[in-house]
Amino acid sequence: GENVGLHLPTLSVQEGDNSIINCAYSNSASDYFIWYKQESGKGPQFIIDIRSNMDKRQGQRVTVLLNKTVKHLSLQIAATQPGDSAVYFCAETRRPLSGYSTLTFGKGTMLLVSP
Amino acid sequence: DAGVIQSPRHEVTEMGQEVTLRCKPISGHDYLFWYRQTMMRGLELLIYFNNNVPIDDSGMPEDRFSAKMPNASFSTLKIQPSEPRDSAVYFCASSSHTRGGRSSLGANVLTFGAGSRLTVL
């Protein structure tokens, strides 16, 4: 089948630990980035976003860090809970002055949280 | 709001059959997107509409795929004839430039439906 030999990168943590999920993006011209969370059987859900003129942005229990020099994003989840178990995707785009620009999604990382 | 509604949630069909997937976007959203998700290729944008008009269909794999948006509250993605390699989860998403669904950075955020899992035997 199409899944043979292909597995998502997986991060396994214990409940209460801090989790760090990494993403390398491809387009140096991208200026807007989003993290999405996808639980089993559901569609991706927005978590947090960041613009290229920022290095860091914090939400509730989540922090996104952006390193434009090496084209790297990370999502930090504090005090990880079993409900955080999901696949996490980063997405990038370059926003035009007018109109709409579409998102390019990364392949995703699976986060498994053990009680 | 009930969110983006997709149907069917699961579809199993035989090669050669026609498949129609349906989507109801969030009321008031002016953008609608169709994505396909597979393990091999991840999330791929197939086509998107703005105010019911197709804007970019460059992601549509081939002529067997077609999408329509006859009004602001309904869109279909059709595959005819279907092939086993079309097996995937198909997501519909909507967003608005002018109404709700914005992040605190002011950017419009995609809201995804729960997806339609298609298996072509």
Side-chain angles (χ1 to χ4, degrees):
Chain A
E2 64 179 288
N3 294 343
V4 171
L6 185 67
H7 300 281
L8 281 176
T10 300
L11 175 65
S12 297
V13 301
Q14 294 286 323
E15 182 177 3
D17 287 352
N18 295 331
S19 302
I20 300 176
I21 300 169
N22 296 305
C23 174
Y25 63 92
S26 55
N27 188 350
S28 57
S30 292
D31 61 3
Y32 178 64
F33 307 87
I34 306 179
W35 280 100
Y36 277 87
K37 171 187 179 183
Q38 185 177 19
E39 296 174 274
S40 180
K42 297 183 179 179
Q45 181 181 21
F46 171 87
I47 303 174
I48 191 168
D49 54 353
I50 190 169
R51 290 199 192 111
S52 59
N53 61 355
M54 303 172 173
D55 296 322
K56 178 181 178 179
R57 190 153 186 257
Q58 287 185 295
Q60 188 176 17
R61 279 201 309 119
V62 295
T63 301
V64 55
L65 298 178
L66 174 62
N67 185 331
K68 296 180 288 295
T69 303
V70 294
K71 294 190 290 186
H72 183 267
L73 271 173
S74 67
L75 178 71
Q76 301 178 358
I77 305 174
T80 314
Q81 303 167 359
D84 295 327
S85 294
V87 177
Y88 290 80
F89 295 93
C90 65
E92 61 179 299
T93 191
R94 181 179 183 181
R95 291 180 300 172
L97 293 175
S98 63
Y100 190 89
S101 61
T102 58
L103 293 172
T104 300
F105 283 84
K107 288 290 193 288
T109 297
M110 181 173 289
L111 176 65
L112 297 175
V113 184
S114 305
Chain B
D1 198 320
V4 176
I5 300 173
Q6 291 187 245
S7 65
R9 289 297 314 276
H10 302 275
E11 174 97 5
V12 180
T13 191
E14 292 187 345
M15 182 173 63
Q17 296 298 305
E18 178 180 292
V19 172
T20 300
L21 307 178
R22 298 172 176 80
C23 175
K24 180 181 183 340
I26 291 174
S27 177
H29 279 192
D30 52 350
Y31 282 87
L32 183 139
F33 306 81
W34 282 101
Y35 281 86
R36 178 171 67 176
Q37 186 176 43
T38 61
M39 281 295 293
M40 288 290 288
R41 300 173 71 91
L43 269 165
E44 302 174 277
L45 177 65
L46 300 178
I47 184 171
Y48 78 95
F49 296 81
N50 177 221
N51 292 322
N52 314 336
V53 176
I55 302 300
D56 184 353
D57 66 355
S58 59
M60 296 285 262
E62 46 197 274
D63 291 346
R64 297 184 297 106
F65 286 68
S66 62
K68 294 182 179 179
M69 192 164 185
N71 57 63
S73 59
F74 183 66
S75 176
T76 60
L77 178 67
K78 187 173 293 188
I79 309 172
Q80 166 64 18
S82 59
E83 296 182 2
R85 61 193 168 120
D86 302 329
S87 297
V89 181
Y90 291 81
F91 287 102
C92 177
S94 69
S95 72
S96 171
H97 263 161
T98 59
R99 176 179 178 276
R102 285 180 173 268
S103 77
S104 56
L105 290 181
N108 53 309
V109 171
L110 297 185
T111 301
F112 284 82
S116 295
R117 180 176 293 277
L118 173 64
T119 303
V120 183
L121 303 175

